[in-house]
Amino acid sequence: TRHGGLLELESQLGAGTRVHVRLPVIAATGEHATLTAAPAPVAGNGGRRVLLVEDDADNREAMASLLALGGFVVTAADCGAAGVRAFSDGAFDVVLTDLGLPDMDGWQVAGEIKRAAPEMPVALITGWGLNLDRDEIRRRGVDLLVKKPLDPRIFVGEIENLVQVGGRRDRKSVV
C-alpha cells in the first residue's frame, strides 16, 4: 500500500467479517516526530471508557481497534438512539459520535449527551469537511471536531487529550 500498511478482510455470509489492520512502525526523527506505536495502558491512562457511535461497520471496527490499542475500553453503538441508550446505561469518560447517522445526526447525539451530563467530553467525527466556528461547535454540545480520514497516529492522542481536559464549558476548546 501507499504507506506500507496492510488491510486484510475475511468475510463469511452469516458469520460476519474479520478485519486485520497492520501498520508499519515509523521512527521518530526531527521536528515532526511521530509515535512509533500506540501507547500501552498505564496506571493513569488504562481503562478509559469510550462510547463510540458510528453506523458504518468498517469505520466503527477500525476506530474501536485504534482506541483499544491506545488503552481505551470501547463500547460501540451503530446508531444515535442506540448510543444515547448505551450512555444512559453505562459510565463513560468520553463520547465519540459520527455526524452522519441514519436515525439522528451527531449534533443531536451530542445534545442529548450534554443534557444528561453537561461535563461529559464529546467529539464529533465527520468526513463532511465542516468549517465551523469554535463557539458554534461548543454551543451545539461538541468539545472536539475530528475530521475524516483519521490519522491513526493523531486520533488516539486527541481523544486522550479530550478526556484529560474534559468537556467543561469554561475551558478553551480543543477543536
Side-chain angles (χ1 to χ4, degrees):
T1 63
R2 184 169 88 185
H3 297 289
L6 179 64
L7 176 67
E8 296 175 322
L9 300 172
E10 298 172 25
S11 187
Q12 187 175 19
L13 188 60
T17 301
R18 181 177 299 218
V19 179
H20 299 274
V21 179
R22 292 185 175 89
L23 302 173
V25 174
I26 299 172
T29 60
E31 181 181 343
H32 299 286
T34 57
L35 292 176
T36 58
V42 294
N45 181 34
R48 303 273 193 174
R49 297 153 304 175
V50 176
L51 173 58
L52 173 63
V53 185
E54 169 63 68
D55 62 312
D56 183 276
D58 293 334
N59 287 342
R60 188 173 55 247
E61 175 81 17
M63 284 187 276
S65 294
L66 285 171
L67 291 163
L69 287 170
F72 292 93
V73 176
V74 181
T75 299
D78 63 0
C79 68
V84 171
R85 273 193 311 275
F87 183 79
S88 66
D89 292 342
F92 298 96
D93 297 301
V94 65
V95 175
L96 285 64
T97 181
D98 187 33
L99 176 57
L101 298 168
D103 56 342
M104 57 195 297
D105 66 32
W107 298 114
Q108 292 169 309
V109 172
E112 292 290 323
I113 299 301
K114 288 294 188 172
R115 274 189 281 290
E119 300 295 317
M120 178 60 56
V122 176
L124 182 75
I125 304 166
T126 180
W128 293 0
L130 298 176
N131 290 317
L132 296 173
D133 176 80
R134 288 181 182 178
D135 291 334
E136 174 69 8
I137 292 168
R138 276 187 273 147
R139 185 186 69 73
R140 296 180 82 172
V142 171
D143 301 293
L144 174 67
L145 185 63
V146 178
K147 295 183 180 181
K148 294 177 188 173
L150 302 176
D151 181 333
R153 296 169 296 184
I154 296 172
F155 175 64
V156 172
E158 287 179 320
I159 302 309
E160 178 59 34
N161 185 56
L162 179 60
V163 171
Q164 289 176 5
V165 173
R168 296 180 303 280
R169 296 301 198 162
D170 58 343
R171 67 171 176 78
K172 289 186 177 180
S173 175
V174 294
V175 175

